[in-house]
């Protein structure tokens, strides 16, 4: 890491983050899943979350996005503490500052693909023609044939849906970005495009947290890895 | 920023039975909040108390009016509350026929609300009615037809046009997609999302359909037996429910 980078303050900063699930309808079972999680991501840095399946990579990522509620600690993203913020503050953060490419595309049925991809820009008040032009450029870059743009992505193949999801996640240039398996189920050509998009985002200063089972992709775009097994609670006997 | 609506300890009793009680929240401009719960949870009672259709037994419902700023709508005069109902508030009923005049043309249904706020020029009223029919994807050629000749989905879209023509700031919706078949429902959801974004509307949506709130609402309030048991970001409440009842509700949804 260069001295220049060390002068910057982190875009994403987690400290002392803990979480338990309480299953009220299964005898009130308490399942501690995370303890003392800490993480800092600087502008232009990409950090990989690693660890065995079930270690809590997705849970941690969902907590950063505010999708899961953290029970302890602080999750600062662009100055907003996601662990404590009001819903409207998190909504604003998600609209302007924090993107998330999940593994699943969740959209209103029957909305054309072009509009699905343009929606994050429209939500920011970008003019419709500009938002659609940006969406079209991303879809073309990700090799989604133009004849599909006017159709809803709900009927697309897994790989096509994944690419639509990525186009949507990259439509707005968020300062912070969460990527859950962005290269899964992609062919080599599209995988290369996604890696280029990630590298371009880093170059303009986006702080990225990613989960990559694809080790080669991880090595190429990630600056370092954090093993979430370190945050697994020590279960008392 | 001033909340558009501040609800403080609202309660409504039906004799000894609780309709809803101890409900407090703030709704900010541009926010869409879903209110979910099973039948009898008090969600419709609450909506009707907030929209001035029912008088709550206790509490305050403070609306940030354009002219006078925040005013308690529970204690305001009946004419003033009715005026809000025709201007800054809109109410979309589950059954379109409760919100439409079935023996008046589609254009008339939209124009009536404009005339209630003082519009008099026939040409202007008709032009705005046609414009709104277009925005809710109803052909101009149907402007003189009565809603009784419309399909259920068209009736619901007409009800939305009638409600939004006066540029309200707060829309109350009671099961807006209930009773529509799924393809019609999807189109209505897309239309509502677009209108909320373009007009910067705030909305309160009562529904028992968790898929609908996931797509429409920023925030969620879960009710049981007249009480609010959980509130939060919509996706957080649905994906990481904290309260026993919410966990039961979410786990009871059939997967498609």
């Amino acid at each position: 890491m260069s001295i220049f980078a060390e002068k910057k303050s982190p875009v994403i900063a987690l400290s002392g983050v803990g979480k338990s699930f309480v299953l009220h309808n299964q005898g009130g079972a308490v399942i501690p899943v995370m303890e003392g999680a800490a993480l800092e991501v600087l502008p232009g840095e990409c950090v990989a979350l690693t660890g065995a399946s079930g270690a809590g990579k997705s849970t941690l990522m969902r907590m950063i996005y505010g999708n899961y509620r953290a029970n302890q600690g602080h999750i600062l993203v662009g100055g907003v503490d996601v662990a404590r913020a009001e819903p409207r503050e998190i909504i604003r953060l998600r609209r302007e500052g924090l993107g998330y490419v999940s593994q699943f595309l969740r959209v209103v049925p029957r909305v054309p693909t072009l509009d699905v991809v343009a929606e994050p820009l429209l939500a920011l008040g970008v003019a419709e023609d500009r938002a659609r032009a940006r969406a079209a450029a991303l879809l073309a870059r990700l090799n989604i044939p133009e004849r599909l743009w006017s159709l809803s992505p709900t009927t697309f193949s897994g790989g096509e849906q994944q690419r639509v999801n990525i186009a949507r996640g990259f439509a707005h240039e968020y300062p912070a970005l969460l990527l859950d398996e962005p290269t899964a189920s992609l062919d080599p050509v599209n995988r290369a495009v996604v890696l280029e998009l990630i590298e371009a985002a880093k170059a303009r200063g986006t702080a990225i947290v990613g989960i990559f089972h694809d080790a080669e992709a991880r090595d190429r775009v990630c600056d370092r890895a954090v093993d979430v097994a370190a945050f697994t609670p020590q279960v008392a006997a | 920023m001033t909340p558009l609506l501040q609800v403080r300890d609202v309660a409504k009793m039906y004799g000894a039975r609780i309709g809803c009680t101890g409900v407090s929240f703030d709704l900010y401009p541009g926010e869409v909040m879903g209110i979910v719960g099973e039948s009898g949870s008090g969600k419709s009672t609450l909506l009707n108390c907030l929209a001035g259709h029912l008088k709550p037994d206790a509490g305050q419902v403070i609306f940030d009016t354009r002219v006078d700023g925040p005013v308690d709508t529970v204690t305001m005069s009946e004419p003033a509350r009715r005026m809000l109902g025709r201007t800054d508030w809109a109410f979309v009923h589950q059954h379109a026929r409760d919100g439409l005049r079935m023996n008046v043309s589609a254009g008339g249904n939209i124009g009536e609300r404009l005339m209630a706020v003082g519009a008099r020029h026939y040409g202007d009223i008709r032009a705005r009615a046609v414009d709104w029919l277009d925005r809710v994807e109803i052909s101009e050629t149907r402007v003189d037809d009565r809603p009784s000749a419309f399909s259920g989905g068209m009736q619901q879209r007409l009800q939305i046009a009638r409600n939004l023509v006066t540029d309200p700031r707060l829309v109350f919706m009671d099961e807006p997609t209930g009773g529509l078949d799924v393809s019609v429902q999807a189109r209505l959801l897309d239309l509502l999302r677009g209108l909320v974004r373009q007009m910067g509307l705030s909305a309160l949506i009562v529904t028992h359909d968790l898929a609908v709130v996931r797509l429409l609402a920023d925030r969620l309030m879960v009710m049981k037996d007249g009480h609010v048991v959980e509130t939060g970001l919509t996706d957080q409440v649905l994906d990481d429910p904290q309260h026993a009842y919410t966990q039961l509700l979410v786990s009871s949804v059939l997967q498609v």
Side-chain angles (χ1 to χ4, degrees), chain B residues 181-254:
Chain B
D181 67 57
V182 285
S183 63
V184 175
Q185 194 176 334
R187 186 168 170 197
L188 192 69
L189 284 174
D190 183 40
L191 176 73
L192 284 173
R193 265 163 75 108
L195 292 172
V196 163
R197 188 185 65 225
Q198 289 155 18
M199 301 176 71
L201 294 173
S202 301
L204 289 170
I205 303 172
V206 160
T207 179
H208 64 269
D209 189 331
L210 300 182
V212 166
V213 286
R214 190 188 277 278
L215 292 173
L216 275 184
D218 306 315
R219 290 164 59 192
L220 202 54
M221 191 160 94
V222 183
M223 294 190 70
K224 183 183 191 317
D225 301 333
H227 297 264
V228 175
V229 297
E230 185 164 353
T231 62
L233 267 178
T234 300
D235 62 278
Q236 190 182 78
V237 172
L238 295 179
D239 293 338
D240 186 16
Q242 308 288 311
H243 188 275
Y245 176 69
T246 317
Q247 292 186 356
L248 186 68
L249 201 65
V250 170
S251 66
S252 304
V253 175
L254 300 175

